[in-house]
Amino acid sequence: MNNHFSNATNMKLLKISKLTMPLLTLALLSWVAPQANAALLVGSRNNNSVLRYDEETGKFIDTFIPSGSGGLNVTVGFAVGSDQNYYLSNFAGSSIERYNGKSGDFIDSFVPKDSGGLKLPQDLAFGPDGNLYVAGTVNGTTNAILRYDGKTGTFINTFISSDKIDPAAPFSLTFGSDDNIYLNSSITGTIKRYDGKTGAFIDNFAQSKPGSIPGSLTFGPDGNLYVADFKTNDIARYNGKTGEFIDFFVTSNSGGLSGPVKQTFGSDGNLYVGSILTNNVLRYNGKTGAFIDVFVPAGSGGLKKPRFLYFTKDAIAVPESRTELALLAFVATLSVGKVIRRFQ
């Protein structure tokens, strides 16, 4: 009888031991397995990096592009290429750096230092022709929009010369649905429009209120133009076809907004604004402009001077919390251990 009991016990222990390895394996695989999430990327100007946050909660995930990667020195402008890689203007390095859109790894200096006379590049955008347009200074003396081959980064020409641009370099450049270029003018308070094929000046598309410093330009889902004002701390809205002023979509200092530099609409339809003087990202109702919340808290993940925002279009692998998954492995092991001891 003792032999029968011993054999039965051994059989149960064998079954439990067979169960132990799958549980441990599952826990350990979960420990290293990535979880797919879409994300909000934020350029942290003063520590030369790009930080990643959960697109739904605003929780810090990780540093997507490490500080100084590829020689990045003062993170300013951002664009996504047809290759789905990320292009950043290296303000102090006078170059455009390219990074892998999935991993954040440095690829190359797409536009080498000083190419075409480029100095202090600000904003950048890929045009309808597939080429890269960069707002900056030429040889450190005059402002211009320079054009580079969108495949090779080779300098093509000065697309909009300094005599057509105000003395203060525009730090926002965007293409409208009409395929023309829109630039901000911080001196005259105007939004200027240029022919997207020739670079010829078309008109002063919109006029800001006196004393304002219009900054980032974004065409919204409604087709209208949203303009961040760095001085008056608001977001003005203009008719996207006529340039006629509609309203102050986000009113002055709403939610503590101070020094708005870049705004973008998220997949939820709401408006997200980087507040550079408070080191956070604020969220506003995409229909009414009403303040919702502080989406990314001040300094989260080391955020300092948010310069651009970009919501990734696809899910990106994000490592799970090691603390939580280590705990899962420990609990699985402990539970099996308790069962085994009952039969000893």
Side-chain angles (χ1 to χ4, degrees):
M1 182 172 180
N2 288 339
N3 287 338
H4 174 74
F5 177 78
S6 177
N7 289 337
T9 301
N10 288 336
M11 289 297 294
K12 290 181 179 179
L13 287 174
L14 180 61
K15 290 180 180 179
I16 292 170
S17 65
K18 288 181 178 180
L19 178 64
T20 304
M21 286 309 295
L23 282 173
L24 290 175
T25 301
L26 177 62
L28 290 172
L29 284 175
S30 298
W31 190 10
V32 297
Q35 180 185 22
N37 286 333
L40 170 65
L41 300 182
V42 182
S44 188
R45 182 187 188 278
N46 280 26
N47 53 20
N48 311 313
S49 60
V50 178
L51 309 179
R52 184 163 54 169
Y53 301 87
D54 187 281
E55 72 161 356
E56 295 182 356
T57 66
K59 181 180 179 181
F60 175 68
I61 297 173
D62 60 11
T63 299
F64 186 66
I65 297 178
S67 179
S69 175
L72 191 61
N73 189 359
V74 185
T75 310
V76 181
F78 174 92
V80 181
S82 60
D83 57 4
Q84 300 307 305
N85 290 318
Y86 299 154
Y87 296 73
L88 274 65
S89 55
N90 185 354
F91 183 77
S94 297
S95 59
I96 306 299
E97 315 299 345
R98 177 165 55 173
Y99 300 86
N100 186 289
K102 296 294 185 182
S103 66
D105 292 335
F106 174 70
I107 297 176
D108 58 12
S109 287
F110 184 72
V111 174
K113 179 180 174 63
D114 300 336
S115 175
L118 179 64
K119 295 287 186 183
L120 307 177
Q122 297 265 6
D123 208 1
L124 66 164
F126 282 92
D129 60 0
N131 291 318
L132 181 64
Y133 295 76
V134 182
T137 65
V138 178
N139 298 320
T141 57
T142 59
N143 303 311
I145 305 300
L146 305 180
R147 179 166 56 170
Y148 299 86
D149 187 285
K151 299 296 184 182
T152 67
T154 303
F155 175 68
I156 298 175
N157 63 352
T158 298
F159 189 69
I160 302 177
S161 58
S162 59
D163 59 320
K164 301 175 184 176
I165 299 177
D166 290 339
F171 60 83
S172 187
L173 176 161
T174 192
F175 282 87
S177 60
D178 57 2
D179 290 343
N180 291 318
I181 290 179
Y182 293 76
L183 297 177
N184 71 305
S185 172
S186 58
I187 291 182
T188 63
T190 57
I191 308 304
K192 298 182 177 295
R193 179 166 55 171
Y194 300 83
D195 188 288
K197 293 183 178 180
T198 66
F201 175 73
I202 298 176
D203 59 10
N204 289 323
F205 180 74
Q207 179 66 54
S208 298
K209 62 185 178 182
S212 64
I213 302 179
S216 180
L217 312 176
T218 300
F219 281 95
D222 58 2
N224 291 318
L225 180 63
Y226 293 76
V227 181
D229 195 295
F230 188 82
K231 186 174 181 179
T232 56
N233 301 313
D234 53 41
I235 307 291
R237 178 167 55 170
Y238 300 87
N239 185 293
K241 299 296 184 183
T242 67
E244 181 181 359
F245 174 77
I246 298 175
D247 59 11
F248 290 107
F249 186 72
V250 174
T251 56
S252 182
N253 302 117
S254 175
L257 183 61
S258 183
V261 172
K262 184 64 178 179
Q263 67 278 351
T264 190
F265 284 87
S267 59
D268 58 1
N270 291 318
L271 181 66
Y272 295 76
V273 184
S275 182
I276 200 168
L277 298 182
T278 52
N279 301 310
N280 56 11
V281 177
L282 308 180
R283 177 166 54 175
Y284 300 87
N285 187 291
K287 299 294 185 182
T288 67
F291 174 68
I292 297 177
D293 59 13
V294 176
F295 187 69
V296 175
S300 174
L303 181 60
K304 195 169 183 181
K305 308 298 183 188
R307 190 58 180 81
F308 63 77
L309 310 176
Y310 174 72
F311 282 95
T312 59
K313 299 298 186 291
D314 301 312
I316 296 179
V318 178
E320 284 279 15
S321 166
R322 287 185 175 272
T323 301
E324 293 176 0
L325 291 167
L327 181 61
L328 173 63
F330 174 74
V331 170
T333 306
L334 184 62
S335 298
V336 174
K338 284 182 178 180
V339 174
I340 292 175
R341 283 197 294 274
R342 290 179 60 187
F343 291 92
Q344 292 179 334

